[in-house]
Amino acid sequence: MAKGSTTVSEPTYFILASLLDGPLHGHAIIKQTLELSENRVRLPVGTLYGALDRLAANGLIAVDREEVVEGRPRRYFVLTDRGRTLVGAEALRMQQAASVVTARILRPGSAFS
């Protein structure tokens, strides 16, 4: 998501969606994003952390906590109210856009019915 933009890319959408149920660390976000997107969105670690930094800078997520696991720092991220609002609005926007097409496809006499 570009700074100041309301457009949400598919990876950004699924990163935000992965955090709807609560805080997750990076590896868990990668796994959840892959699952939610039905294997379409594969996030390399470097790409994920770049996206997380941008989302945090835009106030859509925040660091919930940090802990050390097996000697390595692990940061957990959480949606902010702004992030929750954005991902919800994006879901509604996509649903409305899809309904325009599906209504036309299912219309009697269309090439698809």
Side-chain angles (χ1 to χ4, degrees):
M1 182 170 135
K3 193 158 182 105
S5 171
T6 57
T7 302
V8 177
S9 68
E10 188 174 34
T12 296
Y13 176 80
F14 283 108
I15 290 169
L16 294 173
S18 73
L19 296 171
L20 282 167
D21 292 330
L24 294 173
H25 58 82
H27 183 69
I29 293 171
I30 289 171
K31 287 176 61 176
Q32 184 74 350
T33 296
L34 191 60
E35 182 180 319
L36 292 173
S37 71
E38 297 178 341
N39 296 320
R40 283 190 320 275
V41 177
R42 295 176 185 273
L43 296 168
V45 172
T47 300
L48 172 69
Y49 282 98
L52 293 174
D53 288 343
R54 283 189 303 281
L55 292 170
N58 286 323
L60 301 173
I61 66 169
V63 174
D64 181 61
R65 67 184 184 279
E66 295 185 37
E67 59 186 37
V68 176
V69 177
E70 296 178 5
R72 299 184 69 187
R74 180 179 285 175
R75 288 188 298 168
Y76 286 79
F77 297 89
V78 64
L79 274 178
T80 62
D81 289 341
R82 186 170 171 211
R84 186 172 296 278
T85 298
L86 178 73
V87 75
E90 183 64 7
L92 291 173
R93 184 195 68 77
M94 289 189 297
Q95 182 179 38
Q96 186 278 330
S99 72
V100 168
V101 173
T102 55
R104 294 180 73 196
I105 288 173
L106 298 175
R107 182 176 53 210
S110 79
F112 298 100
S113 62

